[in-house]
Amino acid sequence: MKTSFSGPGRELTADRGLHSVLRTGRREDPDRPLFRRRSESGWHEIGYREFVRHVESVAGELLRRGVRRGDRVAILGRTGYEWALADFAILAIGAVTVPVYPTSSPHQIRHVLGDSGASWFFAETAEDASRLGAETVWLFAELDSWRDEPGTEFEAHQEKVRAGDLATIVYTSGTTGPPKGCLLTHGNMYASSANTVLRTDWLFRQATEGSAEPATTALVLPLSHVFGRTILLSCVIAGTRTALLPGVPELLGELPTVRPTFLALVPYALEKIRKLGLRDLGPLRYVISGGASLDDTTVAHYRDLGVEILNCYGLTEAATAVTVNAPASNRAGTVGRPIPGTTVGIADDGEVLVSGPNVSPGYWPAPVDTEPGWLHTGDLGRVDDDGYLVITGRRKEILVTSGGKNVAPAPLEDRVRAHPLVSNCMVVGDGRPYVTALVTVDSSADATDRTVVADVQRAVDEANELVSRAESIRKFVIVAGDFTVDAGHLTPSMKLRRAVIAQAYAADIAALYRVDSK
């Protein structure tokens, strides 16, 4: 088995929890700007001293209201200062954060809350609170008034938190079946974030290499997803000046003011920003991209604007960080080298295996027995001679045509989605004589217009240039509507739920394979 290991990394001291990270920042550089918070009067900068004081005040209030060590506390809301504040306060007293995606359906919310046994609740708005279905829900807006001293009880609770304690239960957005609650400890989350900072050299600390100016970012990733929280914790560890914004639309409006030197985004967001045709991205020079594959044309677009894409790879079960490219050693076509302390291996069948202090102990309600030392990711890949990981597909998403041809759908889908008119694309072909595709277009486009159809055909033709004839898309259909999270077509992190889409568009798929279809 070929492996890649980048050397020892940083780990949280066994007798410490994540709150120690904040106290370290307060001790070493109390007034360093940590967060930028939007108010009616403009942006307000918050340093370590002020943030730690607020976190400990909220933590003390939680104790006074009955929250105890090990209690599960759900948070439903968009990315913002209050989400981070609630999360760090929960962790400070040894309670457990249970993120709830803002786009979750009532059924999904019931599953997460019921399965985790959450008994305390935070929500962004009154509407969000009603969706949680709980008698008492604390709104984000209340947290500004939670400013009392934490009290002696807080210190006693804080001192008992350990690196091996459970920090969060993150429900993985699987493509089939109900989500499973992945367990992540304080030590898992620290190892993932601290070693991401190490692997990316100066990126989280300095505006440019060797600069005295601190790095600045705008975090728009959902904090309900572990990718967002890993980046957030990385910023806290490194002292990155961070503006917390609820989404990409808000980011676009604040770019001239926030002026980030780097961003962390998923490919879906990069593709959407690209389609807007922005040319001036200010001092932005790097984007960490993770969560799915990114089309080469999107990478080239940003390179033309002076922005370099740093592909990374991870999954919830490894607190999202396994490999990442760095500014000085970025290698196109790869997802980087392992973060320090993490080992990546390639099994005989090509599956990517992971070992390290970032790997989850298992799933709620109790850890499960797995092969000692290795996390089986379900992804296929290879390691090059310099230790860089290349993801080549996913075992469960490899399509095998009736002719026995293996087809990786992601590269085809990525290329078709890159067209400005295309909203989404799903390749079909498992057990079929040839490959086809379901395509959705932006709501402003007329799917029956010949020009639109011709444009989509050109997008398909470009995608087919990436593969052999046997792997190419022979036919496609523009289907009604779009693939959405609410309808169950997409996971909250925007991955395709292939089985759900195939069932919803079964008639369209059948028409593509009729003998008389053209």
Side-chain angles (χ1 to χ4, degrees):
M1 178 174 67
K2 189 168 185 178
T3 62
S4 178
F5 178 66
S6 299
R10 296 175 62 184
E11 295 186 40
L12 193 61
T13 305
D15 62 350
R16 300 289 180 87
L18 284 172
H19 189 63
S20 64
V21 173
L22 292 177
R23 286 192 163 181
T24 297
R26 180 181 64 180
R27 182 181 67 252
E28 294 180 350
D29 200 352
D31 297 317
R32 182 184 178 108
L34 184 61
F35 292 120
R36 303 183 74 190
R37 188 183 186 190
R38 173 62 102 170
S39 67
E40 292 182 1
S41 59
W43 287 97
H44 170 59
E45 292 199 332
I46 299 171
Y48 281 105
R49 191 201 321 267
E50 182 179 350
F51 186 61
V52 172
R53 184 185 298 122
H54 202 179
V55 165
E56 294 186 353
S57 294
V58 171
E61 186 64 27
L62 290 176
L63 289 171
R64 286 188 284 271
R65 297 186 182 212
V67 181
R68 289 296 178 266
R69 178 184 176 88
D71 285 359
R72 275 79 68 203
V73 186
I75 306 180
L76 172 59
R78 299 173 301 165
T79 293
Y81 173 80
E82 294 81 5
W83 210 113
L85 176 64
D87 186 28
F88 277 103
I90 292 164
L91 299 178
I93 60 173
V96 180
T97 300
V98 180
V100 182
Y101 284 98
T103 56
S104 295
S105 68
H107 173 76
Q108 290 169 327
I109 293 175
R110 286 194 299 271
H111 171 73
V112 169
L113 300 185
D115 188 73
S116 68
S119 52
W120 307 97
F121 309 90
F122 281 101
E124 180 179 1
T125 67
E127 182 181 354
D128 291 330
S130 68
R131 297 169 64 205
L132 290 170
E135 184 175 336
T136 302
V137 181
W138 301 309
L139 298 182
F140 285 178
E142 297 178 43
L143 295 181
D144 259 340
S145 65
W146 293 13
R147 296 281 186 168
D148 292 339
E149 290 297 315
T152 56
E153 189 180 13
F154 163 73
E155 202 60 44
H157 274 76
Q158 189 274 141
E159 289 179 349
K160 293 179 181 178
V161 183
R162 300 290 181 263
D165 289 349
L166 181 61
T168 188
I169 305 173
V170 180
Y171 280 79
T172 58
S173 50
T175 54
T176 60
K180 296 185 296 182
C182 178
L183 306 176
L184 294 173
T185 67
H186 286 248
N188 292 152
M189 295 180 69
Y190 180 85
S192 178
S193 296
N195 292 306
T196 293
V197 173
L198 282 181
R199 167 54 60 219
T200 52
D201 304 325
W202 49 267
L203 185 68
F204 280 83
R205 299 187 183 279
Q206 301 168 340
T208 57
E209 186 174 12
S211 170
E213 182 70 19
T216 299
T217 193
L219 182 57
V220 299
L221 295 167
L223 293 177
S224 45
H225 190 284
V226 71
F227 185 22
R229 288 168 79 200
T230 293
I231 295 296
L232 173 63
L233 183 55
S234 297
C235 292
V236 169
I237 290 170
T240 311
R241 182 190 284 126
T242 305
L244 295 162
L245 298 170
V248 171
E250 291 79 9
L251 167 65
L252 296 176
E254 296 289 358
L255 271 177
T257 303
V258 175
R259 295 179 58 78
T261 57
F262 80 93
L263 293 171
L265 297 170
V266 294
Y268 185 83
L270 282 166
E271 290 165 356
K272 290 300 181 185
I273 294 172
R274 173 193 171 189
K275 291 178 180 180
L276 293 175
L278 296 180
R279 305 300 301 176
D280 183 7
L281 299 177
L284 180 66
R285 292 297 175 264
Y286 296 96
V287 174
I288 299 174
S289 174
S293 57
L294 185 63
D295 186 81
D296 289 344
T297 59
T298 301
V299 175
H301 168 78
Y302 282 96
R303 186 182 299 120
D304 289 344
L305 297 179
V307 177
E308 194 169 353
I309 304 298
L310 304 174
N311 285 317
C312 66
Y313 168 75
L315 63 166
T316 300
E317 289 83 354
T320 208
V322 174
T323 65
V324 63
N325 273 294
S329 55
N330 190 22
R331 181 166 294 185
T334 79
V335 290
R337 291 181 292 178
I339 62 173
T342 295
T343 302
V344 170
I346 305 298
D348 292 341
D349 64 355
E351 184 178 11
V352 178
L353 309 178
V354 178
S355 176
N358 49 341
V359 173
S360 163
Y363 298 98
W364 180 261
V368 296
D369 292 330
T370 59
E371 182 177 327
W374 291 110
L375 167 65
H376 289 248
T377 67
D379 292 308
L380 301 175
R382 59 181 174 83
V383 171
D384 71 16
D385 291 340
D386 295 318
Y388 288 79
L389 176 64
V390 178
I391 298 297
T392 58
R394 181 160 177 82
R395 290 202 309 183
K396 295 180 180 179
E397 291 183 357
I398 293 294
L399 308 178
V400 183
T401 67
S402 57
K405 183 63 180 178
N406 287 1
V407 179
L412 293 165
E413 291 163 348
D414 291 344
R415 182 56 61 90
V416 174
R417 270 199 303 268
H419 192 282
L421 281 179
V422 174
S423 177
N424 220 320
C425 173
M426 187 182 88
V427 167
V428 180
D430 205 33
R432 306 281 190 170
Y434 48 83
V435 176
T436 62
L438 304 178
V439 178
T440 67
V441 295
D442 288 345
S443 58
S444 59
D446 181 358
T448 63
D449 186 280
R450 289 184 180 180
T451 302
V452 172
V453 175
D455 282 342
V456 174
Q457 180 65 65
R458 279 191 286 273
V460 169
D461 292 341
E462 289 181 6
N464 285 341
E465 293 176 1
L466 302 175
V467 298
S468 66
R469 168 67 174 167
E471 299 167 276
S472 64
I473 299 170
R474 305 284 184 88
K475 300 175 183 178
F476 71 90
V477 60
I478 301 176
V479 298
D482 199 358
F483 304 154
T484 66
V485 174
D486 289 343
H489 303 138
L490 304 175
T491 70
S493 55
M494 309 308 290
K495 296 184 180 72
L496 298 171
R497 292 188 186 271
R498 297 183 184 277
V500 175
I501 294 172
Q503 183 176 4
Y505 294 94
D508 294 288
I509 293 173
L512 288 169
Y513 290 99
R514 287 185 189 135
V515 175
D516 61 343
S517 67
K518 303 297 183 183

